[in-house]
Amino acid sequence: MAAKTKTVYVCRECGAESPKWMGRCNQCGEWNTFTEEQVVVSAKSSFSSSPDVHTSSLSIKPMVLRDVVVGEVQRSTTANDELDRVLGGGIVPGALILIGGEPGIGKSTLVLQMALTLPNKRVLYISGEESAQQIKIRAERISKANMDNCLVVSDTNIDRIHQHIKAANPDIVVVDSIQTVETERVDSLPGSVSQIRECTGILMRIAKESHLPIILIGHINKDGQLAGPKVLEHMVDVVLQFEGDRNHMYRILRGIKNRFGSTNEIGIFEMLGDGLREVSNPSEMLLSEFDEQLSGVAIAAAMEGARPFLIEIQALASSAAYGTPQRSATGFDGRRLNMLLAVLEKRAGFKLATKDVFLNVAGGIRVVDTAVDLAVASSILSSNTDITINPGICLAGEIGLSGEIRPVTRIEQRISEAAKLGFKHIIIPKYSRLNVSKYDIEVHQVSRLDQAFRLLFQ
């Protein structure tokens, strides 16, 4: 009997299916995520009720966990220290890696640069968005590019991609991007939930059966999440987010999921005309060098994962020109900015209700570390009073709703980074457990906002 087609509605977030459209998904709870798709249903069932058939077809037997033999995982280094840091030491054989980011942020450049610098590895670069000539032009722009071990093909059909992989016998495969790959088994457009799920499943089986690392490049939606169903992130082994502001030169590679390492590491790159350059010491590049002191500027000792670096917080507080004061934050959570302004108003007694407040994290990076609260509040107060903060002081501390300075994690690494860059003073929470005498920097411990402000503006 011939196959027939039926219409289903699939949730873009979790991949749940429904015979009719629903405003809210019952599985993930998201609204307006169901899209209509055509699914081909085969009349022939692959299930057999005969117990003999199932018993005889089992080639893999369950094993006692104690008897499972685990060998040492041989990782392949990428000749890129920042990428290796985020991956946990290199690429694991058979790993399925997903790299997501905004259009034009540098995902393809990062992966192509890695493919051209891999030592003694044969890479198959499969592109569904660019021709081989376009890839060659970008490769020539990357300095010190070795093109002998990189094979390029422009194709979007998953069956032909499988044939290319078997014919080329590469060491690593790159698919750019997973949203362009399609299969004839699913009757829907490329980039749909069904197409992405089916094609990723095929690539996952290829990776696991042949122990072949496959790197997928994915797009993100308007909310900053990876496009496609959430099941895509569950299927892959590693999810990396490549983020940054296209108007700035710095990029951050952040680990969202990693089955072979920690997600507490980040890699920092600088976008140049000849590709991405690794930034080994981001603190020196994120701090501005001005001869004159400026108000509204404070230095925060922040952490991204397990990596400390110092960033410059800039604030501008001015009288509101209109009835409703403006609150704007770039690189910082706007809701947390409103909370800090309320704490300064209620607990510290500073009248900011009629002030426009603009906040910016220098360098175009986004910070989620709550330890920058003290630097944010200090920069706002510095701009409001037009009093400069000593450039030799940096700050680290989380602000509570009662105006207290709460302890933060990895305080010793923050102090060491500040001392290494030549700062003379650092203000930290009072109840941090550490020996302050072993550092070449004067450590000031405070428990409330007013104590910190007395040190800064005395």
Side-chain angles (χ1 to χ4, degrees), residues 303-377:
M303 294 288 300
E304 279 291 344
R307 189 176 191 179
F309 60 94
L310 304 187
I311 56 176
E312 182 179 300
I313 305 294
Q314 302 171 346
L316 175 62
S318 60
S319 299
Y322 304 98
T324 304
Q326 299 183 63
R327 307 288 194 247
S328 177
T330 303
F332 188 75
D333 188 4
R335 292 172 297 181
R336 192 161 189 87
L337 172 62
N338 291 329
M339 184 206 77
L340 294 176
L341 291 174
V343 172
L344 289 174
E345 181 95 17
K346 178 73 174 180
R347 304 299 182 184
F350 297 106
K351 303 303 181 183
L352 300 170
T354 60
K355 299 283 187 176
D356 289 337
V357 178
F358 303 93
L359 189 74
N360 177 52
V361 179
I365 67 171
R366 180 166 184 82
V367 181
V368 295
D369 187 8
T370 56
V372 304
D373 287 354
L374 186 55
V376 169

Side-chain angles (χ1 to χ4, degrees), residues 250-275:
Y250 302 114
R251 304 287 188 268
I252 291 181
L253 185 65
R254 193 185 306 273
I256 307 299
K257 170 188 175 182
N258 193 349
R259 289 176 177 161
F260 313 113
S262 173
T263 56
N264 292 328
E265 295 289 352
I266 66 166
I268 301 180
F269 300 87
E270 182 183 9
M271 177 63 79
L272 302 175
D274 57 352

Side-chain angles (χ1 to χ4, degrees), residues 362-412:
I365 67 171
R366 180 166 184 82
V367 181
V368 295
D369 187 8
T370 56
V372 304
D373 287 354
L374 186 55
V376 169
S378 301
S379 63
I380 294 172
L381 182 57
S382 171
S383 176
N384 186 51
T385 58
D386 201 21
I387 301 176
T388 61
I389 296 176
N390 187 338
I393 299 178
C394 65
L395 307 101
E398 178 184 352
I399 297 178
L401 294 179
S402 299
E404 78 276 16
I405 309 298
R406 301 175 60 84
V408 295
T409 60
R410 302 180 183 270
I411 189 64
E412 294 187 357

Side-chain angles (χ1 to χ4, degrees), residues 7-38:
T7 300
V8 297
Y9 294 87
V10 184
C11 176
R12 294 191 303 268
E13 294 295 326
C14 64
E17 295 184 1
S18 172
K20 62 180 181 179
W21 185 87
M22 294 190 298
R24 185 173 185 266
C25 178
N26 293 329
Q27 299 293 328
C28 63
E30 297 293 330
W31 289 88
N32 300 323
T33 57
F34 276 93
T35 57
E36 181 181 355
E37 294 187 8
Q38 301 292 326

Side-chain angles (χ1 to χ4, degrees), residues 68-189:
V68 176
V69 179
V70 179
E72 183 179 355
V73 178
Q74 298 293 332
R75 296 177 182 264
S76 300
T77 59
T78 63
N80 188 317
D81 294 337
E82 296 295 305
L83 181 58
D84 285 341
R85 180 201 304 271
V86 182
L87 290 172
I91 299 176
V92 176
L96 193 61
I97 303 171
L98 176 63
I99 300 179
E102 294 181 353
I105 204 68
K107 304 182 299 296
S108 300
T109 301
L110 172 67
V111 176
L112 180 61
Q113 189 168 320
M114 178 212 69
L116 296 173
T117 56
L118 275 172
N120 304 321
K121 295 292 182 181
R122 188 179 178 88
V123 181
L124 176 60
Y125 193 102
I126 302 169
S127 177
E129 300 178 344
E130 298 177 294
S131 64
Q133 290 77 14
Q134 291 175 308
I135 299 173
K136 175 68 179 297
I137 293 173
R138 183 155 21 96
E140 289 178 341
R141 196 177 72 243
I142 299 175
S143 60
K144 300 179 181 179
N146 181 14
M147 306 183 192
D148 296 334
N149 295 330
C150 185
L151 305 177
V152 179
V153 62
S154 182
D155 206 337
T156 58
N157 185 274
I158 189 64
D159 296 324
R160 292 196 298 267
I161 288 175
H162 192 189
Q163 295 174 5
H164 292 317
I165 294 175
K166 290 193 294 184
N169 191 24
D171 297 310
I172 295 177
V173 174
V174 176
V175 179
D176 183 10
S177 67
I178 187 59
Q179 276 81 14
T180 62
V181 181
E182 60 180 338
T183 176
E184 297 177 355
R185 301 183 185 90
V186 178
D187 188 16
S188 60
L189 295 174

